[in-house]
Amino acid sequence: MTRCAIMQPTYLPWMGYFALIGSVDVFIFLDDVEFSRQSWQQRNRIKTQGGAQWLTVPVLLAGKSHQLIRDVRTDETKHWRRQHWNTIAQSYAKAPHFAEHKEWLESVYQGGEERLCDLNMQVIAALAERLGLATRFERSSTLAKSDERSARLVDCCRAVGADEYLSPPGSFDYLEADKAFENSGLALRYLHYEHPQHRQLHGDFIPFLSALDVLLNEGPASGEIVQSGVRPPYTPEELRAVRRAAAAGGNAGGQP
């Protein structure tokens, strides 16, 4: 059985994003849908001496409404690269494994990719490698597919020879509504992830940060820690029951 996941490329993703990557054979970057401003596509959080802090990549938007993710360019007039690197370096200088990752991480912020999508995919691939993940990456823009929201996911899965689609739980509502997987012949499952704790600097543990936090604090153990939160995936029926219980209890989630 070949399992596939499909997600928008996000900036410095959290541990659950890499848990999803590590749970599939093929991971497809959804790069040909509309960009969502001030979303995880352009920002994430790290832990600083003052607590969790957002790092947001400025992008060029003037006169560019309804851009596809693959077309969005970073705004290099804002000097954001230096600011992000300085914040990361200052916040993690005393992390046990900062020194061994400093060179490649600093190189990310020395220029190069000016399309946000390419930057995100570059960083995700680098982090995945350092977390010990050997998943194959593809881009949805290179695959033949439908223009309809859920049907395009089915077509992407078929294009890479997948038998099962592992979805982030945040997609449950629209997949339920569209029902594209019901007669597709593909199994639909949802990631079940329970955020593990790990060593952190600067006080009490804060969850749902960029996976940089676990990598720089835990080093070679970080991949195993990330995957330790993976549980057997939910069927649609199981996740429906979990969501009903969560709604009744008022529980909220973190990152997608």
Side-chain angles (χ1 to χ4, degrees):
M1 166 139 341
T2 299
R3 179 183 282 176
C4 173
I6 305 171
M7 281 284 287
Q8 299 160 352
T10 62
Y11 182 58
L12 301 177
W14 75 298
M15 294 167 62
Y17 192 103
F18 290 97
L20 182 65
I21 291 174
S23 297
V24 299
D25 304 289
V26 185
F27 186 90
I28 300 174
F29 291 113
L30 188 62
D31 66 340
D32 54 354
V33 297
E34 188 172 333
F35 173 71
S36 179
R37 186 178 180 182
Q38 293 300 313
S39 70
W40 301 110
Q41 295 164 32
Q42 71 177 119
R43 64 179 187 168
N44 222 306
R45 302 183 307 157
I46 64 167
K47 191 175 184 186
T48 71
Q49 292 88 338
Q53 178 175 321
W54 288 101
L55 296 179
T56 302
V57 180
V59 298
L60 298 173
L61 293 172
K64 301 177 183 292
S65 59
H66 307 295
Q67 290 185 94
L68 298 182
I69 289 174
R70 68 185 181 192
D71 297 327
V72 175
R73 290 185 175 274
T74 59
D75 186 350
E76 296 302 317
T77 70
K78 304 295 187 183
H79 307 295
W80 65 272
R81 293 178 188 267
R82 183 178 64 225
Q83 294 167 1
H84 285 205
W85 171 243
N86 287 343
T87 302
I88 291 169
Q90 291 167 10
S91 300
Y92 291 101
K94 296 183 179 179
H97 299 277
F98 176 73
E100 65 201 69
H101 295 287
K102 179 179 182 293
E103 183 175 351
W104 76 264
L105 190 53
E106 185 175 14
S107 71
V108 170
Y109 294 99
Q110 290 177 335
E113 303 293 355
E114 293 188 6
R115 292 184 188 271
L116 177 65
C117 178
D118 294 336
L119 170 71
N120 287 346
M121 291 190 298
Q122 172 195 355
V123 173
I124 290 167
L127 284 169
E129 179 182 358
R130 286 158 177 81
L131 292 170
L133 305 179
T135 304
R136 181 177 125 214
F137 290 110
E138 299 283 353
R139 296 178 67 147
S140 63
S141 58
T142 68
L143 307 174
K145 61 203 168 300
S146 168
D147 291 331
E148 296 186 11
R149 184 171 55 177
S150 295
R152 73 167 53 227
L153 302 181
V154 171
D155 291 344
C156 283
C157 288
R158 288 175 172 156
V160 298
D163 308 291
E164 179 177 299
Y165 177 56
L166 183 63
S167 173
S171 300
F172 178 82
D173 286 336
Y174 83 77
L175 291 179
E176 282 283 283
D178 295 350
K179 300 189 182 303
F181 280 89
E182 283 194 357
N183 299 311
S184 68
L186 298 169
L188 172 62
R189 297 292 183 269
Y190 291 91
L191 181 71
H192 179 186
Y193 192 66
E194 297 179 2
H195 200 309
Q197 290 201 13
H198 57 84
R199 288 186 295 173
Q200 283 185 341
L201 301 174
H202 316 309
D204 294 341
F205 182 77
I206 299 177
F208 303 112
L209 303 175
S210 166
L212 275 180
D213 193 81
V214 64
L215 180 67
L216 300 181
N217 281 299
E218 295 286 3
S222 56
E224 183 177 347
I225 292 170
V226 168
Q227 294 305 117
S228 72
V230 176
R231 303 291 182 265
Y234 291 121
T235 65
E237 294 76 17
E238 289 170 339
L239 184 55
R240 193 178 301 117
V242 168
R243 286 165 59 89
R244 282 198 299 265
N251 292 335
Q255 295 197 32

